[in-house]
Amino acid sequence: MVKITDVARHAGVAPSTVSYALSGKRPISAATRRRVEESIRALGYRPPLGLGGAGRRGSNVLALVTPLRAGVPAPAAMEYALAAVTAARGHDHDVLLVVREEGEEALRQVVESTPADALIVTGGQARDARAPLLSLLRRHGRPSVLVGSPADPTGLTCVDLDHGAAGELCVEHLVGLGHRVVALVGAPPEAYLRGTGAAQRMVRGFTATADRHGLSSAVRPCPASPAAARAVAERLLRERPALTGVVVHNEAVVEPLIEAFEALGLRVPADLSLIAVRPPGPATTSRSPVTSVDVPAAEAGAGAVDLLMRKLNGAHVPETTLLPPRLTFRTTTGPRATP
Amino acid sequence: MVKITDVARHAGVAPSTVSYALSGKRPISAATRRRVEESIRALGYRPPLGLGGAGRRGSNVLALVTPLRAGVPAPAAMEYALAAVTAARGHDHDVLLVVREEGEEALRQVVESTPADALIVTGGQARDARAPLLSLLRRHGRPSVLVGSPADPTGLTCVDLDHGAAGELCVEHLVGLGHRVVALVGAPPEAYLRGTGAAQRMVRGFTATADRHGLSSAVRPCPASPAAARAVAERLLRERPALTGVVVHNEAVVEPLIEAFEALGLRVPADLSLIAVRPPGPATTSRSPVTSVDVPAAEAGAGAVDLLMRKLNGAHVPETTLLPPRLTFRTTTGPRATP
DNA sequence: TTGAAAGCGCTAACAC
DNA sequence: GTGTTAGCGCTTTCAA
């Protein structure tokens, strides 16, 4: 394996000069730089990929950290990874997939000792488990980007779907189809206890747009279980018999909710239109073709890498980057049946 | 950041002792081990994740190397990655996604300088570009596993779908549906010029099984273009007007072939049954529900990691591991129409 | 603008 | 079974 000293000898300069030529951490005369570059090419030297090593250095590796619940990596994480890898390639970086159980200790280790230049952290589902990680990221020196919307983004850099705009988009879609009575089945109640965040922005976008169009609207938090979905569906229909449009902002209950409504005698989309807002993943392309606004994995992954690169270059980046929603019209929404 | 010398001091032992306690590369007395472990806990020392570093050490990182054509990571690679990450987690390893353009130089660098403990190499599509890489792997010290079937697996460790069994399975499926005249539309002609390999094994399995059942069978290589697909379809029908069962062993022409047959007036599956044998990926779960035998990504990824771990532990592993095929019955096969 | 030399944190020979 | 010590390849002082 050809090393930096080989290059130095070949170019007739000191090893440190090669090092600096490589890192750009101090000015090098054009002539020397050229000679060094030539030797590098001649010998085929390649800066050791992804090491941490002795003299802490750029490793050209981005860590994609995914906390997870059960031990099984979420497909959504892979969508981000795909996008991140593609984007990272363009900046001559590789991606280290770091998958860890949720919980402070395991993640602390990663954040502190990974050799990566920078970190992308995708959303841990359990909000409580995520809090310590966030404070870690805030404190820590290494550039990082969070995919998702924490309750308090201060001091962090975040990329996420613009949930407010998503709420608006969903309502506009329903309005366009003639619906006049709509409901939002939202995140579990806990999500609303915190400050700002995806859940709240969604509610605001949804409600404001419904009001603007003079719709009758309702918002119902919903725990992530089929039983809860059934309960919500029943109550909703009892209280709003004229309901024909539903937005589901809770990945776990999309299917259960559809089943619940159908069990209650409504056909989807003939009697009831339904839109899901959810993370990317195979579900997105799966058999059940639900009209949906998906968190745009490609944009999120690419955006995260982009922000990271800018941070690595010392640039200032916005605290929160919101990605515009896109609605994919599939088979669960349709025009309101004329009574 | 707390380092190994801190632990050593705190435990009252030499740094090397801590190192050895960590790596298990030499016996440590129970007492010392306990003290070291206590100090580690007390100080919160964490072995630097995934470094390559000075004194070449276990990095707890597996590199998943994916050569690619266009610069866009193949979804199939992500399927492998998902499986590999899951499996690697079980062995306390992370996965470094290394995506490079095909071609000797770029890959050589990776193989030689990546800090990973071991390598998983997924199939480069261009067989010519892959050859130099293979010889590199053979020579190189680091344990590696190739996902796919090279022409000559000598000296390598490979995991792949058992294409012979897949051919057999496809024919059995068609026979079960009553088909008597079948064809295999195979890989591009170049693939057959080499020695053994996926293409050949498929042909053998297909032909042998067809013969055993007394079917009329034909094998047609097919370049990877829609035009070629149309040409093959036409010729096939001209030469075998009674053809009702087709196995496609060429990812690129599955859809074109279906279209070609339909353009020739055959309905799928009413008049013609078609099975695809292909790599995993979104295509697998996509809108077009083609009956297929897919390379099992999960098994391949997990199997590769498993083999790697055994190699890392000094165990001897078989040169080639063939994964049993599984056929997913979807909408492109059906019973032969009774004339 | 560059070299020489002193580490970086860790591992692996080599002692005892 | 353990401590000593010499590196590993690279970065970063410090001097020039």
PDB file of all heavy atoms in Angstrom, chain B residues 4 16 19-20 54 57, chain C residues 9-14:
ATOM      1  N   ILE B   4      -7.380   4.820  25.963  1.00  0.00           N
ATOM      2  CA  ILE B   4      -6.973   3.549  26.540  1.00  0.00           C
ATOM      3  C   ILE B   4      -5.924   3.732  27.643  1.00  0.00           C
ATOM      4  O   ILE B   4      -5.892   2.968  28.616  1.00  0.00           O
ATOM      5  CB  ILE B   4      -6.449   2.619  25.415  1.00  0.00           C
ATOM      6  CG1 ILE B   4      -6.774   1.169  25.781  1.00  0.00           C
ATOM      7  CG2 ILE B   4      -4.975   2.815  25.162  1.00  0.00           C
ATOM      8  CD1 ILE B   4      -6.562   0.217  24.630  1.00  0.00           C
ATOM      9  N   SER B  16      -1.165  -1.734  27.064  1.00  0.00           N
ATOM     10  CA  SER B  16      -1.302  -2.929  26.217  1.00  0.00           C
ATOM     11  C   SER B  16      -2.225  -3.950  26.868  1.00  0.00           C
ATOM     12  O   SER B  16      -2.971  -4.650  26.178  1.00  0.00           O
ATOM     13  CB  SER B  16       0.057  -3.542  25.955  1.00  0.00           C
ATOM     14  OG  SER B  16       0.706  -3.835  27.173  1.00  0.00           O
ATOM     15  N   SER B  19      -5.593  -3.032  26.006  1.00  0.00           N
ATOM     16  CA  SER B  19      -5.804  -3.371  24.602  1.00  0.00           C
ATOM     17  C   SER B  19      -6.114  -4.852  24.440  1.00  0.00           C
ATOM     18  O   SER B  19      -7.072  -5.239  23.762  1.00  0.00           O
ATOM     19  CB  SER B  19      -4.563  -3.003  23.806  1.00  0.00           C
ATOM     20  OG  SER B  19      -4.654  -3.476  22.483  1.00  0.00           O
ATOM     21  N   TYR B  20      -5.295  -5.674  25.093  1.00  0.00           N
ATOM     22  CA  TYR B  20      -5.496  -7.121  24.967  1.00  0.00           C
ATOM     23  C   TYR B  20      -6.787  -7.576  25.642  1.00  0.00           C
ATOM     24  O   TYR B  20      -7.463  -8.483  25.162  1.00  0.00           O
ATOM     25  CB  TYR B  20      -4.296  -7.863  25.552  1.00  0.00           C
ATOM     26  CG  TYR B  20      -3.090  -7.811  24.653  1.00  0.00           C
ATOM     27  CD1 TYR B  20      -1.882  -7.288  25.081  1.00  0.00           C
ATOM     28  CD2 TYR B  20      -3.174  -8.284  23.351  1.00  0.00           C
ATOM     29  CE1 TYR B  20      -0.777  -7.234  24.249  1.00  0.00           C
ATOM     30  CE2 TYR B  20      -2.073  -8.246  22.510  1.00  0.00           C
ATOM     31  CZ  TYR B  20      -0.882  -7.719  22.954  1.00  0.00           C
ATOM     32  OH  TYR B  20       0.208  -7.670  22.115  1.00  0.00           O
ATOM     33  N   ALA B  54      -3.713   3.498  13.451  1.00  0.00           N
ATOM     34  CA  ALA B  54      -2.315   3.147  13.465  1.00  0.00           C
ATOM     35  C   ALA B  54      -2.134   1.641  13.493  1.00  0.00           C
ATOM     36  O   ALA B  54      -1.902   1.006  12.471  1.00  0.00           O
ATOM     37  CB  ALA B  54      -1.681   3.773  14.680  1.00  0.00           C
ATOM     38  N   ARG B  57      -6.345  -2.788  13.436  1.00  0.00           N
ATOM     39  CA  ARG B  57      -7.093  -3.441  14.480  1.00  0.00           C
ATOM     40  C   ARG B  57      -8.463  -3.799  13.950  1.00  0.00           C
ATOM     41  O   ARG B  57      -8.884  -3.296  12.921  1.00  0.00           O
ATOM     42  CB  ARG B  57      -7.279  -2.447  15.605  1.00  0.00           C
ATOM     43  CG  ARG B  57      -7.213  -2.945  16.989  1.00  0.00           C
ATOM     44  CD  ARG B  57      -7.774  -1.873  17.900  1.00  0.00           C
ATOM     45  NE  ARG B  57      -9.036  -1.353  17.396  1.00  0.00           N
ATOM     46  CZ  ARG B  57     -10.213  -1.731  17.863  1.00  0.00           C
ATOM     47  NH1 ARG B  57     -10.298  -2.609  18.804  1.00  0.00           N
ATOM     48  NH2 ARG B  57     -11.312  -1.201  17.369  1.00  0.00           N
TER      49      ARG B  57
ATOM     50  P    DG C   9      -4.537  11.076  22.135  1.00  0.00           P
ATOM     51  OP1  DG C   9      -5.689  11.889  22.534  1.00  0.00           O
ATOM     52  OP2  DG C   9      -3.332  10.991  22.983  1.00  0.00           O
ATOM     53  O5'  DG C   9      -5.048   9.596  21.880  1.00  0.00           O
ATOM     54  C5'  DG C   9      -6.043   9.356  20.886  1.00  0.00           C
ATOM     55  C4'  DG C   9      -5.957   7.905  20.468  1.00  0.00           C
ATOM     56  O4'  DG C   9      -4.682   7.673  19.859  1.00  0.00           O
ATOM     57  C3'  DG C   9      -6.044   6.921  21.646  1.00  0.00           C
ATOM     58  O3'  DG C   9      -7.037   5.969  21.350  1.00  0.00           O
ATOM     59  C2'  DG C   9      -4.656   6.324  21.748  1.00  0.00           C
ATOM     60  C1'  DG C   9      -4.152   6.463  20.319  1.00  0.00           C
ATOM     61  N9   DG C   9      -2.700   6.567  20.232  1.00  0.00           N
ATOM     62  C8   DG C   9      -1.857   7.231  21.088  1.00  0.00           C
ATOM     63  N7   DG C   9      -0.599   7.152  20.737  1.00  0.00           N
ATOM     64  C5   DG C   9      -0.608   6.378  19.579  1.00  0.00           C
ATOM     65  C6   DG C   9       0.458   5.951  18.754  1.00  0.00           C
ATOM     66  O6   DG C   9       1.659   6.180  18.876  1.00  0.00           O
ATOM     67  N1   DG C   9       0.007   5.199  17.688  1.00  0.00           N
ATOM     68  C2   DG C   9      -1.313   4.884  17.441  1.00  0.00           C
ATOM     69  N2   DG C   9      -1.568   4.150  16.372  1.00  0.00           N
ATOM     70  N3   DG C   9      -2.325   5.274  18.205  1.00  0.00           N
ATOM     71  C4   DG C   9      -1.898   6.014  19.255  1.00  0.00           C
ATOM     72  P    DC C  10      -7.314   4.745  22.295  1.00  0.00           P
ATOM     73  OP1  DC C  10      -8.749   4.443  22.181  1.00  0.00           O
ATOM     74  OP2  DC C  10      -6.693   4.974  23.605  1.00  0.00           O
ATOM     75  O5'  DC C  10      -6.523   3.576  21.566  1.00  0.00           O
ATOM     76  C5'  DC C  10      -6.832   3.275  20.195  1.00  0.00           C
ATOM     77  C4'  DC C  10      -5.766   2.403  19.612  1.00  0.00           C
ATOM     78  O4'  DC C  10      -4.500   3.084  19.694  1.00  0.00           O
ATOM     79  C3'  DC C  10      -5.547   1.066  20.321  1.00  0.00           C
ATOM     80  O3'  DC C  10      -6.212   0.047  19.608  1.00  0.00           O
ATOM     81  C2'  DC C  10      -4.044   0.872  20.289  1.00  0.00           C
ATOM     82  C1'  DC C  10      -3.495   2.115  19.616  1.00  0.00           C
ATOM     83  N1   DC C  10      -2.286   2.661  20.263  1.00  0.00           N
ATOM     84  C2   DC C  10      -1.041   2.435  19.683  1.00  0.00           C
ATOM     85  O2   DC C  10      -0.991   1.764  18.634  1.00  0.00           O
ATOM     86  N3   DC C  10       0.066   2.941  20.265  1.00  0.00           N
ATOM     87  C4   DC C  10      -0.044   3.652  21.392  1.00  0.00           C
ATOM     88  N4   DC C  10       1.080   4.154  21.935  1.00  0.00           N
ATOM     89  C5   DC C  10      -1.301   3.896  22.017  1.00  0.00           C
ATOM     90  C6   DC C  10      -2.393   3.380  21.427  1.00  0.00           C
ATOM     91  P    DT C  11      -6.114  -1.430  20.152  1.00  0.00           P
ATOM     92  OP1  DT C  11      -7.247  -2.140  19.574  1.00  0.00           O
ATOM     93  OP2  DT C  11      -5.895  -1.403  21.614  1.00  0.00           O
ATOM     94  O5'  DT C  11      -4.773  -1.959  19.463  1.00  0.00           O
ATOM     95  C5'  DT C  11      -4.766  -2.077  18.055  1.00  0.00           C
ATOM     96  C4'  DT C  11      -3.442  -2.625  17.605  1.00  0.00           C
ATOM     97  O4'  DT C  11      -2.361  -1.820  18.124  1.00  0.00           O
ATOM     98  C3'  DT C  11      -3.158  -4.063  18.032  1.00  0.00           C
ATOM     99  O3'  DT C  11      -2.658  -4.732  16.880  1.00  0.00           O
ATOM    100  C2'  DT C  11      -2.096  -3.920  19.123  1.00  0.00           C
ATOM    101  C1'  DT C  11      -1.368  -2.650  18.680  1.00  0.00           C
ATOM    102  N1   DT C  11      -0.707  -1.836  19.745  1.00  0.00           N
ATOM    103  C2   DT C  11       0.622  -1.543  19.614  1.00  0.00           C
ATOM    104  O2   DT C  11       1.311  -1.924  18.677  1.00  0.00           O
ATOM    105  N3   DT C  11       1.144  -0.753  20.615  1.00  0.00           N
ATOM    106  C4   DT C  11       0.466  -0.260  21.706  1.00  0.00           C
ATOM    107  O4   DT C  11       1.036   0.438  22.540  1.00  0.00           O
ATOM    108  C5   DT C  11      -0.924  -0.614  21.781  1.00  0.00           C
ATOM    109  C7   DT C  11      -1.749  -0.116  22.926  1.00  0.00           C
ATOM    110  C6   DT C  11      -1.448  -1.377  20.806  1.00  0.00           C
ATOM    111  P    DA C  12      -2.421  -6.289  16.918  1.00  0.00           P
ATOM    112  OP1  DA C  12      -2.767  -6.778  15.569  1.00  0.00           O
ATOM    113  OP2  DA C  12      -3.066  -6.853  18.132  1.00  0.00           O
ATOM    114  O5'  DA C  12      -0.850  -6.392  17.099  1.00  0.00           O
ATOM    115  C5'  DA C  12      -0.040  -5.748  16.117  1.00  0.00           C
ATOM    116  C4'  DA C  12       1.394  -6.084  16.411  1.00  0.00           C
ATOM    117  O4'  DA C  12       1.833  -5.308  17.552  1.00  0.00           O
ATOM    118  C3'  DA C  12       1.630  -7.532  16.789  1.00  0.00           C
ATOM    119  O3'  DA C  12       2.937  -7.863  16.347  1.00  0.00           O
ATOM    120  C2'  DA C  12       1.540  -7.524  18.293  1.00  0.00           C
ATOM    121  C1'  DA C  12       2.204  -6.181  18.595  1.00  0.00           C
ATOM    122  N9   DA C  12       1.726  -5.570  19.815  1.00  0.00           N
ATOM    123  C8   DA C  12       0.498  -5.715  20.413  1.00  0.00           C
ATOM    124  N7   DA C  12       0.343  -5.011  21.503  1.00  0.00           N
ATOM    125  C5   DA C  12       1.557  -4.350  21.638  1.00  0.00           C
ATOM    126  C6   DA C  12       2.044  -3.451  22.589  1.00  0.00           C
ATOM    127  N6   DA C  12       1.309  -3.040  23.629  1.00  0.00           N
ATOM    128  N1   DA C  12       3.291  -2.973  22.432  1.00  0.00           N
ATOM    129  C2   DA C  12       4.005  -3.384  21.377  1.00  0.00           C
ATOM    130  N3   DA C  12       3.659  -4.236  20.402  1.00  0.00           N
ATOM    131  C4   DA C  12       2.409  -4.684  20.596  1.00  0.00           C
ATOM    132  P    DA C  13       3.245  -9.342  16.003  1.00  0.00           P
ATOM    133  OP1  DA C  13       2.582  -9.568  14.728  1.00  0.00           O
ATOM    134  OP2  DA C  13       2.963 -10.246  17.153  1.00  0.00           O
ATOM    135  O5'  DA C  13       4.806  -9.311  15.718  1.00  0.00           O
ATOM    136  C5'  DA C  13       5.616  -9.821  16.693  1.00  0.00           C
ATOM    137  C4'  DA C  13       6.674  -8.811  17.016  1.00  0.00           C
ATOM    138  O4'  DA C  13       6.116  -7.796  17.879  1.00  0.00           O
ATOM    139  C3'  DA C  13       7.784  -9.511  17.777  1.00  0.00           C
ATOM    140  O3'  DA C  13       9.041  -9.143  17.268  1.00  0.00           O
ATOM    141  C2'  DA C  13       7.559  -9.098  19.212  1.00  0.00           C
ATOM    142  C1'  DA C  13       6.788  -7.779  19.112  1.00  0.00           C
ATOM    143  N9   DA C  13       5.777  -7.678  20.152  1.00  0.00           N
ATOM    144  C8   DA C  13       4.534  -8.263  20.177  1.00  0.00           C
ATOM    145  N7   DA C  13       3.836  -7.970  21.253  1.00  0.00           N
ATOM    146  C5   DA C  13       4.675  -7.137  21.986  1.00  0.00           C
ATOM    147  C6   DA C  13       4.532  -6.481  23.214  1.00  0.00           C
ATOM    148  N6   DA C  13       3.429  -6.573  23.945  1.00  0.00           N
ATOM    149  N1   DA C  13       5.567  -5.742  23.646  1.00  0.00           N
ATOM    150  C2   DA C  13       6.676  -5.653  22.892  1.00  0.00           C
ATOM    151  N3   DA C  13       6.923  -6.208  21.707  1.00  0.00           N
ATOM    152  C4   DA C  13       5.875  -6.952  21.311  1.00  0.00           C
ATOM    153  P    DC C  14      10.256 -10.142  17.636  1.00  0.00           P
ATOM    154  OP1  DC C  14      11.399  -9.750  16.810  1.00  0.00           O
ATOM    155  OP2  DC C  14       9.703 -11.515  17.600  1.00  0.00           O
ATOM    156  O5'  DC C  14      10.548  -9.763  19.150  1.00  0.00           O
ATOM    157  C5'  DC C  14      10.918  -8.415  19.453  1.00  0.00           C
ATOM    158  C4'  DC C  14      11.008  -8.262  20.946  1.00  0.00           C
ATOM    159  O4'  DC C  14       9.704  -8.165  21.527  1.00  0.00           O
ATOM    160  C3'  DC C  14      11.705  -9.428  21.656  1.00  0.00           C
ATOM    161  O3'  DC C  14      12.867  -8.925  22.289  1.00  0.00           O
ATOM    162  C2'  DC C  14      10.659  -9.946  22.644  1.00  0.00           C
ATOM    163  C1'  DC C  14       9.765  -8.718  22.818  1.00  0.00           C
ATOM    164  N1   DC C  14       8.390  -9.027  23.262  1.00  0.00           N
ATOM    165  C2   DC C  14       7.853  -8.354  24.372  1.00  0.00           C
ATOM    166  O2   DC C  14       8.544  -7.511  24.950  1.00  0.00           O
ATOM    167  N3   DC C  14       6.595  -8.641  24.785  1.00  0.00           N
ATOM    168  C4   DC C  14       5.874  -9.567  24.126  1.00  0.00           C
ATOM    169  N4   DC C  14       4.641  -9.814  24.555  1.00  0.00           N
ATOM    170  C5   DC C  14       6.409 -10.256  22.998  1.00  0.00           C
ATOM    171  C6   DC C  14       7.652  -9.966  22.598  1.00  0.00           C
TER     172       DC C  14
END
